[in-house]
Amino acid sequence: MTTAVKDSAPQAARQAVRPSAGPWRRALGRLRRNRPAMIAGVGLLLIVLACVLAPVYANLVAHTDPFTSGASATTIVNGQQVPVLAQSTEGLGLGVTPIGPTWDPGHYLLGADNQGRDVMARLLYGGRNSLLIGLSSAVLCCTLATVLGVLAGYFGGWIDAVLSRFFDVIWAFPVYLLAICLSVVLLTSGLHLGPIHIDAGSLALPVVIIALIYVPYVARPLRGQVMALRNKEFLHAAVGLGASDLRVMRREVLPNVLPTVVVFLPLMTALNMLTESALSFLSVGVQSPDASWGTIINDGLALLYTRPVITIAAGLCVGLTAVALNVLGDGVRDALDPNARLRGGA
């Protein structure tokens, strides 16, 4: 009995001095126990991995260039050599009918579009651009919104008034109408604003446009959260100890709003990706020779009744990726704030 008591004392002492897990580690543990979020995360990882390996598929598996017209190309179907674009009596614009899905990864798995390009290879390359634009614009949007929201909520006064009116001006326009107007104007001349120079056909142009139009939707909630933090005792204590405004915002305010920004990131990525697809579908987003899921949907529109797999495949990729990002975002929200679900928070 005495030996057992002696052995348990050091063990209890070690447990007592063991540091407790931080809030981010506890949140990660809760996220791992969220099965729908983990399934969505794995699915999203597979989509991203497939898109990243697009050059491998195009060069080593399909042996095709998805950005070059294949008007005279041929492929193998059931052991026979057939043209990718067959002559057709139907009025399909080019007077040809592209080959349909062969379900052979090495020979036009999902068929060809009306220019004879491999749909599967273009789908993977287009996914890289759609995901890149969605994530980049979300990061830029959340960064700008965090800076502006913290400044407006912390200082108040004329700074808050000016920034709030700026948010109101952007918020007054319908999102897609504003994005289309900016895209139409900037696609002809590019963006030249001080040291910022973006060419008309650059992928950075839709990134900047999409990020700017969604800044108020992220900055407004952050501004309200900072205004609530401004009345907290720990903030008054930091100011009373002589900390500068920059130090208070960096050491006290920003760590408290960072979880909200982390929750916004996957949700804004999904929303921005949908916006990019809509703009590209309307031919005011990603420009040729680049491709995105939106441009592929537009390419398949003329073949909707004869080769619907082009539009369906790109649409499924957009939908599945957006669902995965939203489910993952909900899981991150629940992990960082377990009471959000009980409050019905979004």
Side-chain angles (χ1 to χ4, degrees):
M1 180 67 69
T2 304
T3 304
V5 172
K6 289 181 179 179
D7 293 341
S8 62
Q11 183 177 1
R14 287 194 299 269
Q15 293 177 352
V17 299
R18 181 181 300 173
S20 60
W24 292 103
R25 181 172 296 181
R26 291 197 299 269
L28 182 60
R30 286 191 291 265
L31 182 61
R32 288 175 177 173
R33 293 190 293 270
N34 190 328
R35 182 170 296 180
M38 286 293 96
I39 294 175
V42 171
L44 181 63
L45 181 62
L46 292 177
I47 293 174
V48 172
L49 184 61
C51 293
V52 169
L53 295 177
V56 176
Y57 175 83
N59 297 327
L60 301 182
V61 179
H63 302 287
T64 183
D65 185 355
F67 302 104
T68 302
S69 176
S72 59
T74 59
T75 188
I76 305 297
V77 178
N78 296 326
Q80 298 182 354
Q81 190 171 12
V82 297
V84 174
L85 295 177
Q87 295 297 323
S88 173
T89 58
E90 301 178 3
L92 294 178
L94 295 177
V96 293
T97 301
I99 190 173
T102 64
W103 310 120
D104 180 2
H107 301 91
Y108 291 84
L109 176 67
L110 297 179
D113 61 8
N114 54 8
Q115 295 187 37
R117 299 172 298 192
D118 191 321
V119 173
M120 185 62 193
R122 283 182 61 79
L123 198 67
L124 296 178
Y125 273 101
R128 294 207 309 177
N129 289 334
S130 292
L131 291 169
L132 176 63
I133 293 173
L135 180 60
S136 301
S137 59
V139 171
L140 179 60
C141 175
C142 290
T143 301
L144 292 175
T146 301
V147 173
L148 298 179
V150 169
L151 290 175
Y154 181 80
F155 288 107
W158 68 269
I159 296 179
D160 183 27
V162 171
L163 292 178
S164 295
R165 299 299 76 79
F166 170 71
F167 298 154
D168 292 339
V169 170
I170 298 180
W171 218 333
F173 292 90
V175 172
Y176 285 99
L177 179 60
L178 179 60
I180 291 171
C181 292
L182 291 175
S183 298
V184 170
V185 172
L186 296 179
L187 278 178
T188 58
S189 59
L191 179 62
H192 303 282
L193 184 63
I196 302 176
H197 297 278
I198 301 177
D199 295 333
S202 174
L203 290 178
L205 195 59
V207 170
V208 173
I209 293 174
I210 296 172
L212 289 179
I213 62 175
Y214 284 118
V215 164
Y217 295 85
V218 180
R220 281 286 192 177
L222 296 178
R223 168 184 172 270
Q225 187 175 356
V226 174
M227 293 180 69
L229 289 172
R230 197 169 55 182
N231 298 321
K232 297 295 184 180
E233 294 180 355
F234 71 91
L235 212 62
H236 291 301
V239 174
L241 290 174
S244 63
D245 291 331
L246 181 60
R247 180 179 178 84
V248 172
M249 288 188 290
R250 182 171 58 89
R251 300 294 297 271
E252 305 295 341
V253 176
L254 189 59
N256 282 279
V257 301
L258 191 58
T260 304
V261 178
V262 173
V263 172
F264 267 117
L265 190 58
L267 301 179
M268 292 307 300
T269 301
L271 183 60
N272 293 351
M273 190 188 66
L274 292 174
T275 304
E276 179 278 322
S277 297
L279 294 177
S280 297
F281 175 76
L282 297 173
S283 301
V284 291
V286 176
Q287 300 297 302
S288 180
D290 292 315
S292 74
W293 285 333
T295 62
I296 295 173
I297 294 175
N298 188 20
D299 293 339
L301 193 61
L303 303 171
L304 188 60
Y305 296 104
T306 57
R307 296 292 182 264
V309 68
I310 301 175
T311 300
I312 292 175
L316 281 176
C317 289
V318 173
L320 291 175
T321 306
V323 169
L325 284 166
N326 278 280
V327 173
L328 181 61
D330 289 341
V332 173
R333 178 205 62 191
D334 296 337
L336 292 173
D337 186 3
N339 297 322
R341 183 182 300 175
L342 298 177
R343 297 195 305 265

